[in-house]
Amino acid sequence: MHEYYEHHKRSLAKTITYRILILISDGAIVFFITHRYDTTIKVILISNIASTLLYFFHERVWNKSRWGKAPQPQKNILA
């Protein structure tokens, strides 16, 4: 039986890169609507800190699920 595990560091790296993309898009949208830098910064900081934490824990819960995962076939190292 194969065990599946995604290290916390991988989940954290995925979380950070995803949040960077969302931060840029959120900032553009909020600034387009408000035309204010101060409001844009406040909204994206609060929103993205909360979303980052939620995403990290969501990712960890999904990591515990085996749904949609298949074991990698073992390679014969003697062949």
Side-chain angles (χ1 to χ4, degrees):
M1 176 181 248
H2 296 281
E3 291 294 321
Y4 296 97
Y5 178 75
E6 184 169 278
H7 198 276
H8 286 49
K9 289 179 184 178
R10 179 178 163 89
S11 293
L12 184 59
K14 288 167 60 177
T15 301
I16 291 168
T17 56
Y18 179 76
R19 291 298 2 158
I20 290 169
L21 292 172
I22 296 305
L23 221 148
I24 292 167
S25 68
D26 284 356
I29 292 167
V30 173
F31 185 76
F32 178 76
I33 293 169
T34 65
H35 298 286
R36 293 186 54 142
Y37 290 108
D38 60 333
T39 302
T40 300
I41 290 170
K42 289 175 189 174
V43 169
I44 64 171
L45 282 176
I46 293 168
S47 172
N48 282 280
I49 289 170
S51 295
T52 299
L53 292 172
L54 288 171
Y55 177 82
F56 179 80
F57 291 112
H58 176 263
E59 178 73 19
R60 299 310 303 160
V61 169
W62 267 100
N63 188 50
K64 293 183 185 296
S65 171
R66 296 180 88 193
W67 182 79
K69 292 182 179 180
Q72 296 256 348
Q74 290 185 348
K75 295 180 181 178
N76 186 351
I77 58 173
L78 299 175

